[in-house]
mmCIF file of all heavy atoms in Angstrom:
data_model
loop_
_atom_site.group_PDB
_atom_site.id
_atom_site.type_symbol
_atom_site.label_atom_id
_atom_site.label_comp_id
_atom_site.label_asym_id
_atom_site.label_seq_id
_atom_site.Cartn_x
_atom_site.Cartn_y
_atom_site.Cartn_z
ATOM 1 N N ARG A 21 -84.282 -63.864 -105.188
ATOM 2 C CA ARG A 21 -84.211 -65.261 -104.755
ATOM 3 C C ARG A 21 -83.137 -65.426 -103.679
ATOM 4 O O ARG A 21 -83.367 -66.052 -102.645
ATOM 5 C CB ARG A 21 -83.915 -66.152 -105.955
ATOM 6 C CG ARG A 21 -83.943 -67.634 -105.676
ATOM 7 C CD ARG A 21 -83.678 -68.497 -106.932
ATOM 8 N NE ARG A 21 -84.560 -68.166 -108.029
ATOM 9 C CZ ARG A 21 -84.170 -67.558 -109.162
ATOM 10 N NH1 ARG A 21 -82.912 -67.220 -109.350
ATOM 11 N NH2 ARG A 21 -85.048 -67.282 -110.103
ATOM 12 N N GLU A 22 -81.984 -64.841 -103.896
ATOM 13 C CA GLU A 22 -80.869 -64.982 -102.948
ATOM 14 C C GLU A 22 -81.171 -64.312 -101.609
ATOM 15 O O GLU A 22 -80.888 -64.889 -100.561
ATOM 16 C CB GLU A 22 -79.581 -64.412 -103.546
ATOM 17 C CG GLU A 22 -79.012 -65.244 -104.672
ATOM 18 C CD GLU A 22 -78.676 -66.661 -104.265
ATOM 19 O OE1 GLU A 22 -78.128 -66.877 -103.157
ATOM 20 O OE2 GLU A 22 -78.956 -67.581 -105.054
ATOM 21 N N ILE A 23 -81.737 -63.113 -101.617
ATOM 22 C CA ILE A 23 -82.020 -62.459 -100.329
ATOM 23 C C ILE A 23 -83.236 -63.078 -99.654
ATOM 24 O O ILE A 23 -83.387 -62.968 -98.434
ATOM 25 C CB ILE A 23 -82.155 -60.923 -100.440
ATOM 26 C CG1 ILE A 23 -83.337 -60.522 -101.301
ATOM 27 C CG2 ILE A 23 -80.856 -60.308 -100.923
ATOM 28 C CD1 ILE A 23 -83.652 -59.038 -101.254
ATOM 29 N N SER A 24 -84.090 -63.746 -100.433
ATOM 30 C CA SER A 24 -85.205 -64.472 -99.837
ATOM 31 C C SER A 24 -84.683 -65.678 -99.058
ATOM 32 O O SER A 24 -85.211 -66.027 -98.015
ATOM 33 C CB SER A 24 -86.181 -64.918 -100.936
ATOM 34 O OG SER A 24 -87.273 -65.596 -100.397
ATOM 35 N N ILE A 25 -83.622 -66.279 -99.548
ATOM 36 C CA ILE A 25 -82.992 -67.412 -98.868
ATOM 37 C C ILE A 25 -82.183 -66.928 -97.666
ATOM 38 O O ILE A 25 -82.221 -67.524 -96.600
ATOM 39 C CB ILE A 25 -82.090 -68.202 -99.852
ATOM 40 C CG1 ILE A 25 -82.964 -68.870 -100.916
ATOM 41 C CG2 ILE A 25 -81.229 -69.218 -99.121
ATOM 42 C CD1 ILE A 25 -82.173 -69.410 -102.102
ATOM 43 N N ASP A 26 -81.455 -65.808 -97.830
ATOM 44 C CA ASP A 26 -80.615 -65.281 -96.763
ATOM 45 C C ASP A 26 -80.606 -63.756 -96.836
ATOM 46 O O ASP A 26 -79.853 -63.172 -97.618
ATOM 47 C CB ASP A 26 -79.193 -65.822 -96.875
ATOM 48 C CG ASP A 26 -78.254 -65.295 -95.779
ATOM 49 O OD1 ASP A 26 -78.728 -64.599 -94.855
ATOM 50 O OD2 ASP A 26 -77.047 -65.591 -95.857
ATOM 51 N N ALA A 27 -81.433 -63.124 -96.029
ATOM 52 C CA ALA A 27 -81.551 -61.659 -96.043
ATOM 53 C C ALA A 27 -80.268 -60.978 -95.575
ATOM 54 O O ALA A 27 -80.088 -59.787 -95.795
ATOM 55 C CB ALA A 27 -82.725 -61.213 -95.180
ATOM 56 N N ARG A 28 -79.385 -61.720 -94.938
ATOM 57 C CA ARG A 28 -78.120 -61.149 -94.457
ATOM 58 C C ARG A 28 -76.970 -61.390 -95.440
ATOM 59 O O ARG A 28 -75.816 -61.097 -95.125
ATOM 60 C CB ARG A 28 -77.771 -61.730 -93.096
ATOM 61 C CG ARG A 28 -78.787 -61.315 -92.026
ATOM 62 C CD ARG A 28 -78.440 -61.856 -90.683
ATOM 63 N NE ARG A 28 -77.159 -61.275 -90.253
ATOM 64 C CZ ARG A 28 -76.572 -61.550 -89.113
ATOM 65 N NH1 ARG A 28 -77.110 -62.409 -88.278
ATOM 66 N NH2 ARG A 28 -75.431 -60.992 -88.791
ATOM 67 N N ALA A 29 -77.283 -61.874 -96.613
ATOM 68 C CA ALA A 29 -76.237 -62.118 -97.603
ATOM 69 C C ALA A 29 -75.512 -60.802 -97.902
ATOM 70 O O ALA A 29 -76.147 -59.757 -98.054
ATOM 71 C CB ALA A 29 -76.842 -62.679 -98.886
ATOM 72 N N THR A 30 -74.207 -60.873 -97.989
ATOM 73 C CA THR A 30 -73.426 -59.665 -98.280
ATOM 74 C C THR A 30 -73.554 -59.313 -99.759
ATOM 75 O O THR A 30 -73.906 -60.163 -100.596
ATOM 76 C CB THR A 30 -71.940 -59.887 -97.959
ATOM 77 O OG1 THR A 30 -71.432 -60.900 -98.844
ATOM 78 C CG2 THR A 30 -71.732 -60.291 -96.498
ATOM 79 N N LEU A 31 -73.248 -58.073 -100.067
ATOM 80 C CA LEU A 31 -73.253 -57.654 -101.469
ATOM 81 C C LEU A 31 -72.248 -58.479 -102.269
ATOM 82 O O LEU A 31 -72.495 -58.819 -103.425
ATOM 83 C CB LEU A 31 -72.944 -56.155 -101.581
ATOM 84 C CG LEU A 31 -74.023 -55.220 -101.051
ATOM 85 C CD1 LEU A 31 -73.530 -53.781 -101.051
ATOM 86 C CD2 LEU A 31 -75.296 -55.359 -101.871
ATOM 87 N N SER A 32 -71.140 -58.825 -101.641
ATOM 88 C CA SER A 32 -70.123 -59.649 -102.298
ATOM 89 C C SER A 32 -70.684 -61.036 -102.636
ATOM 90 O O SER A 32 -70.478 -61.550 -103.744
ATOM 91 C CB SER A 32 -68.893 -59.775 -101.395
ATOM 92 O OG SER A 32 -67.940 -60.609 -101.978
ATOM 93 N N HIS A 33 -71.404 -61.630 -101.679
ATOM 94 C CA HIS A 33 -72.023 -62.939 -101.926
ATOM 95 C C HIS A 33 -73.052 -62.830 -103.066
ATOM 96 O O HIS A 33 -73.070 -63.670 -103.974
ATOM 97 C CB HIS A 33 -72.696 -63.464 -100.656
ATOM 98 C CG HIS A 33 -73.509 -64.698 -100.875
ATOM 99 N ND1 HIS A 33 -72.945 -65.953 -100.941
ATOM 100 C CD2 HIS A 33 -74.843 -64.872 -101.087
ATOM 101 C CE1 HIS A 33 -73.897 -66.853 -101.165
ATOM 102 N NE2 HIS A 33 -75.054 -66.214 -101.256
ATOM 103 N N LEU A 34 -73.886 -61.805 -103.008
ATOM 104 C CA LEU A 34 -74.887 -61.617 -104.073
ATOM 105 C C LEU A 34 -74.207 -61.421 -105.414
ATOM 106 O O LEU A 34 -74.646 -61.965 -106.429
ATOM 107 C CB LEU A 34 -75.796 -60.423 -103.749
ATOM 108 C CG LEU A 34 -76.692 -60.564 -102.527
ATOM 109 C CD1 LEU A 34 -77.422 -59.259 -102.247
ATOM 110 C CD2 LEU A 34 -77.681 -61.696 -102.709
ATOM 111 N N SER A 35 -73.129 -60.654 -105.411
ATOM 112 C CA SER A 35 -72.369 -60.417 -106.638
ATOM 113 C C SER A 35 -71.883 -61.736 -107.240
ATOM 114 O O SER A 35 -72.032 -61.973 -108.453
ATOM 115 C CB SER A 35 -71.176 -59.504 -106.320
ATOM 116 O OG SER A 35 -70.305 -59.426 -107.409
ATOM 117 N N ASP A 36 -71.323 -62.598 -106.412
ATOM 118 C CA ASP A 36 -70.851 -63.908 -106.880
ATOM 119 C C ASP A 36 -71.993 -64.750 -107.431
ATOM 120 O O ASP A 36 -71.849 -65.430 -108.444
ATOM 121 C CB ASP A 36 -70.175 -64.682 -105.743
ATOM 122 C CG ASP A 36 -68.853 -64.080 -105.311
ATOM 123 O OD1 ASP A 36 -68.289 -63.253 -106.059
ATOM 124 O OD2 ASP A 36 -68.387 -64.424 -104.197
ATOM 125 N N ARG A 37 -73.134 -64.713 -106.756
ATOM 126 C CA ARG A 37 -74.274 -65.564 -107.131
ATOM 127 C C ARG A 37 -74.961 -65.104 -108.416
ATOM 128 O O ARG A 37 -75.477 -65.935 -109.157
ATOM 129 C CB ARG A 37 -75.289 -65.614 -105.996
ATOM 130 C CG ARG A 37 -74.771 -66.224 -104.699
ATOM 131 C CD ARG A 37 -74.479 -67.683 -104.795
ATOM 132 N NE ARG A 37 -75.729 -68.396 -104.983
ATOM 133 C CZ ARG A 37 -75.847 -69.644 -105.373
ATOM 134 N NH1 ARG A 37 -74.774 -70.345 -105.613
ATOM 135 N NH2 ARG A 37 -77.011 -70.195 -105.518
ATOM 136 N N VAL A 38 -75.007 -63.779 -108.666
ATOM 137 C CA VAL A 38 -75.752 -63.283 -109.836
ATOM 138 C C VAL A 38 -74.857 -62.834 -110.981
ATOM 139 O O VAL A 38 -75.344 -62.495 -112.051
ATOM 140 C CB VAL A 38 -76.759 -62.163 -109.463
ATOM 141 C CG1 VAL A 38 -77.737 -62.642 -108.415
ATOM 142 C CG2 VAL A 38 -76.058 -60.893 -109.031
ATOM 143 N N GLY A 39 -73.549 -62.805 -110.755
ATOM 144 C CA GLY A 39 -72.624 -62.499 -111.838
ATOM 145 C C GLY A 39 -72.517 -61.027 -112.192
ATOM 146 O O GLY A 39 -72.211 -60.686 -113.337
#
Side-chain angles (χ1 to χ4, degrees):
R21 186 178 307 110
E22 289 301 319
I23 64 170
S24 181
I25 293 167
D26 180 6
R28 295 181 64 180
T30 65
L31 291 173
S32 177
H33 172 81
L34 294 174
S35 170
D36 291 344
R37 298 292 293 165
V38 303

